[in-house]
Short mmCIF file of all heavy atoms in Angstrom, two decimals:
data_model
loop_
_atom_site.label_atom_id
_atom_site.label_comp_id
_atom_site.label_asym_id
_atom_site.label_seq_id
_atom_site.Cartn_x
_atom_site.Cartn_y
_atom_site.Cartn_z
N PHE A 304 48.14 11.59 324.47
CA PHE A 304 48.43 10.61 323.41
C PHE A 304 47.41 9.46 323.39
O PHE A 304 46.88 9.11 322.34
CB PHE A 304 49.85 10.05 323.56
CG PHE A 304 50.25 9.14 322.43
CD1 PHE A 304 50.84 9.64 321.28
CD2 PHE A 304 50.02 7.76 322.50
CE1 PHE A 304 51.21 8.81 320.23
CE2 PHE A 304 50.38 6.91 321.44
CZ PHE A 304 50.97 7.44 320.30
N CYS A 305 47.14 8.88 324.56
CA CYS A 305 46.22 7.74 324.60
C CYS A 305 44.79 8.15 324.25
O CYS A 305 44.06 7.39 323.61
CB CYS A 305 46.29 7.06 325.97
SG CYS A 305 47.72 5.96 326.10
N GLU A 306 44.41 9.37 324.64
CA GLU A 306 43.08 9.89 324.27
C GLU A 306 42.98 9.95 322.74
O GLU A 306 41.93 9.66 322.15
CB GLU A 306 42.86 11.29 324.85
CG GLU A 306 42.62 11.34 326.35
CD GLU A 306 43.87 11.13 327.19
OE1 GLU A 306 44.98 11.04 326.61
OE2 GLU A 306 43.74 11.05 328.42
N GLU A 307 44.09 10.32 322.12
CA GLU A 307 44.12 10.41 320.66
C GLU A 307 43.99 9.02 320.02
O GLU A 307 43.32 8.86 318.99
CB GLU A 307 45.43 11.09 320.25
CG GLU A 307 45.51 11.66 318.86
CD GLU A 307 44.38 12.65 318.54
OE1 GLU A 307 43.87 13.35 319.45
OE2 GLU A 307 44.03 12.68 317.35
N VAL A 308 44.60 8.01 320.65
CA VAL A 308 44.47 6.63 320.15
C VAL A 308 42.99 6.23 320.18
O VAL A 308 42.46 5.66 319.22
CB VAL A 308 45.32 5.65 320.98
CG1 VAL A 308 44.97 4.19 320.68
CG2 VAL A 308 46.82 5.89 320.73
N ILE A 309 42.32 6.56 321.27
CA ILE A 309 40.89 6.23 321.39
C ILE A 309 40.08 6.99 320.33
O ILE A 309 39.22 6.41 319.66
CB ILE A 309 40.38 6.54 322.82
CG1 ILE A 309 41.03 5.58 323.81
CG2 ILE A 309 38.85 6.44 322.89
CD1 ILE A 309 40.72 5.85 325.27
N ALA A 310 40.40 8.26 320.16
CA ALA A 310 39.67 9.09 319.18
C ALA A 310 39.85 8.55 317.76
O ALA A 310 38.89 8.47 316.99
CB ALA A 310 40.15 10.54 319.26
N LYS A 311 41.07 8.13 317.43
CA LYS A 311 41.31 7.58 316.09
C LYS A 311 40.56 6.26 315.90
O LYS A 311 40.04 5.99 314.82
CB LYS A 311 42.81 7.36 315.86
CG LYS A 311 43.59 8.64 315.62
CD LYS A 311 45.09 8.34 315.54
CE LYS A 311 45.90 9.61 315.69
NZ LYS A 311 47.33 9.30 315.94
N GLY A 312 40.54 5.45 316.96
CA GLY A 312 39.80 4.20 316.89
C GLY A 312 38.32 4.45 316.62
O GLY A 312 37.69 3.79 315.78
N GLU A 313 37.77 5.44 317.33
CA GLU A 313 36.35 5.79 317.14
C GLU A 313 36.09 6.31 315.73
O GLU A 313 35.08 5.99 315.10
CB GLU A 313 35.93 6.86 318.16
CG GLU A 313 35.79 6.34 319.58
CD GLU A 313 34.86 5.14 319.67
OE1 GLU A 313 33.74 5.20 319.12
OE2 GLU A 313 35.28 4.12 320.28
N TYR A 314 37.05 7.10 315.25
CA TYR A 314 36.95 7.65 313.90
C TYR A 314 36.88 6.52 312.86
O TYR A 314 36.03 6.53 311.97
CB TYR A 314 38.16 8.56 313.65
CG TYR A 314 38.20 9.21 312.30
CD1 TYR A 314 37.43 10.35 312.04
CD2 TYR A 314 39.01 8.70 311.29
CE1 TYR A 314 37.47 10.96 310.79
CE2 TYR A 314 39.06 9.31 310.04
CZ TYR A 314 38.29 10.45 309.80
OH TYR A 314 38.32 11.05 308.56
N ILE A 315 37.77 5.52 313.02
CA ILE A 315 37.78 4.39 312.10
C ILE A 315 36.46 3.62 312.19
O ILE A 315 35.86 3.26 311.17
CB ILE A 315 38.98 3.45 312.38
CG1 ILE A 315 40.29 4.18 312.08
CG2 ILE A 315 38.88 2.17 311.55
CD1 ILE A 315 41.55 3.40 312.45
N ARG A 316 35.99 3.39 313.41
CA ARG A 316 34.70 2.69 313.60
C ARG A 316 33.56 3.40 312.87
O ARG A 316 32.76 2.76 312.19
CB ARG A 316 34.33 2.65 315.08
CG ARG A 316 34.93 1.54 315.85
CD ARG A 316 34.61 1.75 317.32
NE ARG A 316 35.35 0.82 318.13
CZ ARG A 316 34.91 -0.40 318.46
NH1 ARG A 316 33.74 -0.83 318.09
NH2 ARG A 316 35.67 -1.20 319.19
N ASN A 317 33.51 4.73 313.05
CA ASN A 317 32.44 5.50 312.40
C ASN A 317 32.51 5.39 310.90
O ASN A 317 31.49 5.19 310.23
CB ASN A 317 32.51 6.97 312.81
CG ASN A 317 32.02 7.16 314.23
OD1 ASN A 317 31.22 6.35 314.72
ND2 ASN A 317 32.50 8.19 314.89
N LYS A 318 33.71 5.50 310.36
CA LYS A 318 33.89 5.40 308.91
C LYS A 318 33.48 4.02 308.41
O LYS A 318 32.87 3.88 307.34
CB LYS A 318 35.35 5.67 308.54
CG LYS A 318 35.76 7.12 308.69
CD LYS A 318 35.74 7.78 307.33
CE LYS A 318 35.79 9.28 307.47
NZ LYS A 318 36.01 9.92 306.16
N LEU A 319 33.84 2.99 309.18
CA LEU A 319 33.51 1.62 308.75
C LEU A 319 32.01 1.37 308.77
O LEU A 319 31.50 0.56 308.01
CB LEU A 319 34.23 0.60 309.64
CG LEU A 319 35.74 0.45 309.39
CD1 LEU A 319 36.38 -0.35 310.52
CD2 LEU A 319 36.03 -0.22 308.05
N SER A 320 31.32 2.10 309.66
CA SER A 320 29.87 1.88 309.75
C SER A 320 29.15 2.35 308.48
O SER A 320 27.99 2.00 308.25
CB SER A 320 29.31 2.60 310.98
OG SER A 320 29.35 4.00 310.78
N GLU A 321 29.86 3.12 307.66
CA GLU A 321 29.26 3.56 306.38
C GLU A 321 29.44 2.51 305.29
O GLU A 321 28.96 2.68 304.17
CB GLU A 321 29.93 4.87 305.92
CG GLU A 321 29.69 6.04 306.85
CD GLU A 321 30.69 7.17 306.60
OE1 GLU A 321 31.43 7.12 305.59
OE2 GLU A 321 30.74 8.08 307.45
N ILE A 322 30.20 1.44 305.58
CA ILE A 322 30.43 0.39 304.57
C ILE A 322 29.51 -0.78 304.85
O ILE A 322 29.66 -1.47 305.87
CB ILE A 322 31.91 -0.07 304.60
CG1 ILE A 322 32.85 1.12 304.41
CG2 ILE A 322 32.16 -1.16 303.56
CD1 ILE A 322 34.33 0.77 304.51
N PRO A 323 28.51 -1.02 303.99
CA PRO A 323 27.52 -2.07 304.25
C PRO A 323 28.14 -3.46 304.45
O PRO A 323 27.66 -4.23 305.27
CB PRO A 323 26.64 -2.05 302.99
CG PRO A 323 26.85 -0.70 302.39
CD PRO A 323 28.23 -0.29 302.73
N GLU A 324 29.22 -3.77 303.71
CA GLU A 324 29.83 -5.10 303.83
C GLU A 324 30.46 -5.33 305.21
O GLU A 324 30.62 -6.47 305.65
CB GLU A 324 30.87 -5.27 302.70
CG GLU A 324 31.75 -6.50 302.77
CD GLU A 324 31.03 -7.85 302.65
OE1 GLU A 324 29.90 -7.89 302.12
OE2 GLU A 324 31.60 -8.85 303.11
N ALA A 325 30.80 -4.23 305.89
CA ALA A 325 31.36 -4.36 307.25
C ALA A 325 30.20 -4.51 308.22
O ALA A 325 29.45 -3.57 308.49
CB ALA A 325 32.19 -3.14 307.60
N GLU A 326 30.07 -5.72 308.79
CA GLU A 326 28.90 -6.02 309.61
C GLU A 326 29.02 -5.41 311.00
O GLU A 326 28.04 -5.03 311.62
CB GLU A 326 28.78 -7.54 309.73
CG GLU A 326 27.44 -8.02 310.22
CD GLU A 326 27.35 -9.52 310.06
OE1 GLU A 326 28.26 -10.22 310.53
OE2 GLU A 326 26.38 -9.97 309.43
N GLY A 327 30.27 -5.32 311.47
CA GLY A 327 30.49 -4.77 312.81
C GLY A 327 31.96 -4.72 313.11
O GLY A 327 32.77 -5.32 312.40
#
Side-chain angles (χ1 to χ4, degrees):
F304 186 89
C305 280
E306 287 76 5
E307 198 55 30
V308 168
I309 292 174
K311 285 175 196 167
E313 287 306 311
Y314 181 79
I315 295 175
R316 275 172 190 271
N317 285 335
K318 288 260 165 170
L319 286 168
S320 70
E321 296 163 10
I322 304 177
E324 172 64 21
E326 196 170 52

